[in-house]
């Protein structure tokens, strides 16, 4: 009920994004039903039916990726301070977001079933539509209900599971300043970032236990340390008026308690955890380049072995695997390339405009980098398809066109959604710049510079990858 209430009271832009998820689910469900219809019409050709089903993986992945991006930008399920007191913690909000995604995708699946039955003539009794091949509609055959239900539930189940995995509650990673302290080597209290060397325990003696025979030396050391100034956690200087107070222990020794810092106060229960700093996005760049190279290698080997596909036929399974690896490599390398683009913008004595554009690109590389890589992969695949088939189109005909439109539309919509999320994330920074006197024209110019820089980097990359992918197939 809470998911339905949040869905009903959302803004128009949120409803439009959810409608995009429903449309993507409807198109993907329709393609899956067409693959089932082909399998029913051609029981003697299971390989062709399996290849059609495998080609549905691209629209399925694009629809799930769009659903995750839409769920991340949903303002109704964003964690806020104070919601835990009424039972709306991060886990509950994650469940609400997954339920909302499942409802949107389920609506699209129902629309796909109705459209498929309408084209078959099962709802109105009219003859089947001529726009879709009769073998894909399985005219004159009964549809198995378990298979239809399994295919239609596939998109909502995968989308909701992906949203739940992405928005799952995560414990904030403690930094070095707030990391919990424990007893380290030789009983030393605290565990810093750098490990102590051998002999540091006895050499410095800041945390050692003082025996009963050395009380005078400990008192002298404490009196010398009493007048020293300390820097507190808030940055203010603090002075100690008296020396350390030894506490007796059971074995006749005393321990200095001043060396043991107080434990930090726990945060309130309803406080939103601080976002942990993300690692450098350049760490995944070598992996992306490696996967991209592997994909081009697999595609080249398969293309040289099987040759170019004839007009009206689909590529082989090896070419499909090579394309999938190439797309995965571009998606992995996208954040690193976006981060690199931001660094290049700030090179060679940058002005205020280039410095602002480069800093924003580096900050937003983890949000817009991966959708940019996916869009680059789709653009490269479109170039390869147009080059290899020379306008004839694959064997799927209108179904192949529908699948291509689904993949392209979902990836572009995901990129725009990620851009909206990044814009909302830097709202405070934009307001601060406007309060400091920055003209709005400068912010718009910085956005134009970012777009031009990304186009200058990803444009030649897409062209190079597309040409290398089309070489083994165009002969």
């Amino acid at each position: 009920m809470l998911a339905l209430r949040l869905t009903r009271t959302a803004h128009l832009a949120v409803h439009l994004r959810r409608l995009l998820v429903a449309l993507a689910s409807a198109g993907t469900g329709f393609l899956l039903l067409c693959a089932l219809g082909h399998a029913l019409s051609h029981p003697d050709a299971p390989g062709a039916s399996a290849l059609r089903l495998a080609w549905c993986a691209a629209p399925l992945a694009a629809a799930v990726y769009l659903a995750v991006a839409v769920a991340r930008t949903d303002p109704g399920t964003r964690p806020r301070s104070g919601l835990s007191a009424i039972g709306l913690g991060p886990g509950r909000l994650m469940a609400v977001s997954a339920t909302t995604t499942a409802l949107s995708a389920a609506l699209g699946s129902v629309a796909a079933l109705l459209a498929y039955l309408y084209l078959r003539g099962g709802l109105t009794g009219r003859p089947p539509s001529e726009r879709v091949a009769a073998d894909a509609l399985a005219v004159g055959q009964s549809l198995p209900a378990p298979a239809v239900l399994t295919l239609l539930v596939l998109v909502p189940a995968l989308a909701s599971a992906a949203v739940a995995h992405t928005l799952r509650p995560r414990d904030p990673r403690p930094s070095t300043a707030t990391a919990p302290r424990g007893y380290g080597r030789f009983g030393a209290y605290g565990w810093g970032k750098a490990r102590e060397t051998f002999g540091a325990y006895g050499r410095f003696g800041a945390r050692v236990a003082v025996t009963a025979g050395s009380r005078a030396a400990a008192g002298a050391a404490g009196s010398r340390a009493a007048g020293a100034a300390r820097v507190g956690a808030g940055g203010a200087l603090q002075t100690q008026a008296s020396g350390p107070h030894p506490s007796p222990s059971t074995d006749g020794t005393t321990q200095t308690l001043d060396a043991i810092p107080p434990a930090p106060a726990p945060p309130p229960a309803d406080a939103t955890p601080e976002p942990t700093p993300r690692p450098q996005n350049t760490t995944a760049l070598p992996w992306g380049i490696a996967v991209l190279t592997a994909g081009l290698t697999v595609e080249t080997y398969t293309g040289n072995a099987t040759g170019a596909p004839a007009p009206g036929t689909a590529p082989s399974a090896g070419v499909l695997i090579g394309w999938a690896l190439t797309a995965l490599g571009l998606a992995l390398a996208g954040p690193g390339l976006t981060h690199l683009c931001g660094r290049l913008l700030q090179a060679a004595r940058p002005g205020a405009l280039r410095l602002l554009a480069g800093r924003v690109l580096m900050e937003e590389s983890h949000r817009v980098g991966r959708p940019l890589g996916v869009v680059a992969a789709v653009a490269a695949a479109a170039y390869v398809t147009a080059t290899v088939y020379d306008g004839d189109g694959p064997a799927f005909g209108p179904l192949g066109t529908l699948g291509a439109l689904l993949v392209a539309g979902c990836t572009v919509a995901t990129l725009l959604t990620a851009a909206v999320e990044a814009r909302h994330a830097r709202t405070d920074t934009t307001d601060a710049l406007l309060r400091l006197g920055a003209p709005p024209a400068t912010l718009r110019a910085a956005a134009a510079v970012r777009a031009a820089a990304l186009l200058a980097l990803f444009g030649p990359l897409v062209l190079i990858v597309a040409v290398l992918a089309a070489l083994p197939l165009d002969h």
Side-chain angles (χ1 to χ4, degrees):
M1 295 300 297
L2 180 60
L4 291 176
R5 186 181 294 265
L6 291 176
T7 301
R8 182 177 58 86
T9 59
H11 296 285
L12 180 60
V14 179
H15 284 303
L16 290 178
R17 291 195 291 265
R18 291 171 180 170
L19 182 61
L20 289 178
V21 175
L23 291 177
S25 176
T28 306
F30 184 80
L31 290 178
L32 291 173
L33 292 178
C34 289
L36 174 63
H38 185 273
L40 294 176
S41 302
H42 300 81
D44 53 344
S49 301
L51 185 59
R52 283 175 175 259
L53 187 62
W55 273 102
C56 294
L60 178 61
V64 172
Y65 196 40
L66 175 61
V68 172
V70 170
R72 287 173 57 93
T73 57
D74 193 350
T77 58
R78 188 173 302 167
R80 299 180 182 89
S81 178
L83 292 181
S84 298
I86 59 175
L88 292 179
R92 181 72 180 276
L93 290 178
M94 178 268 295
V96 170
S97 182
T99 305
T100 305
T101 303
L103 290 176
S104 302
L107 179 62
S109 297
V110 172
L113 178 60
L114 294 178
Y116 188 77
L117 294 178
Y118 176 79
L119 293 177
R120 293 182 77 238
L123 296 180
T124 59
R126 300 173 56 184
S129 176
E130 297 180 356
R131 297 181 180 180
V132 183
D135 56 353
L137 297 176
V139 180
Q141 299 185 16
S142 60
L143 297 176
V148 172
L149 183 62
T150 301
L151 293 178
L152 292 180
V153 170
L154 192 60
V155 180
L158 290 179
S160 60
V163 169
H165 176 74
T166 303
L167 303 182
R168 69 188 186 278
R170 297 181 178 90
D171 294 332
R173 297 179 181 178
S175 60
T176 56
T178 61
R181 304 196 177 194
Y183 287 95
R185 189 174 55 186
F186 301 114
Y189 184 83
W191 186 261
K193 185 176 181 181
R195 302 187 66 177
E196 296 178 351
T197 58
F198 185 82
Y201 176 81
R203 186 164 58 245
F204 295 99
R207 302 182 180 96
V208 298
V210 183
T211 60
S214 59
R215 290 180 181 178
S223 61
R224 287 193 302 268
R230 295 184 177 180
V231 179
L237 292 177
Q238 300 175 355
T239 58
Q240 187 176 359
S242 61
H245 302 282
S247 61
S249 58
T250 58
D251 55 355
T253 61
T254 57
Q255 296 178 350
T256 56
L257 300 180
D258 291 40
I260 303 178
D270 57 347
T272 303
E274 292 291 336
T276 57
R278 294 178 178 265
Q280 291 292 335
N281 296 312
T282 55
T283 55
L285 184 58
W287 293 99
I289 295 176
V291 175
L292 175 63
T293 306
L296 292 176
T297 303
V298 171
E299 185 182 350
T300 302
Y301 177 78
T302 307
N304 292 333
T306 60
T313 60
S316 60
V319 174
L320 178 61
I321 294 175
W323 283 359
L325 290 176
T326 302
L328 180 60
L330 286 175
L332 290 176
L337 292 176
T338 307
H339 194 274
L340 179 62
C341 185
R343 284 188 175 275
L344 293 178
L345 272 179
Q346 303 174 68
R349 296 182 179 181
L353 186 62
R354 284 198 295 136
L355 186 63
L356 178 61
R359 290 291 183 178
V360 171
L361 272 183
M362 292 174 60
E363 181 66 24
E364 297 177 355
S365 58
H366 64 277
R367 289 189 178 95
V368 301
R370 189 159 298 175
L372 270 175
V374 175
V375 170
V378 172
Y383 178 86
V384 172
T385 303
T387 303
V388 172
Y389 289 103
D390 294 331
D392 293 333
F396 300 120
L399 296 181
T401 304
L402 175 61
L405 290 177
L406 274 176
V407 173
C410 289
T411 52
V412 173
T414 303
L415 178 59
L416 295 178
T417 305
V420 170
E421 180 188 6
R423 182 180 180 181
H424 290 167
R426 66 173 186 270
T427 302
D428 296 338
T429 304
T430 304
D431 295 340
L433 289 175
L434 292 177
R435 286 194 302 267
L436 290 175
T442 302
L443 301 180
R444 291 192 293 268
V449 169
R450 293 196 303 269
L454 291 176
L455 184 61
L457 178 64
F458 280 89
L461 176 64
V462 169
L463 185 60
I464 292 174
V465 172
V467 170
L468 291 178
L471 280 179
L473 301 178
D474 193 12
H475 62 272

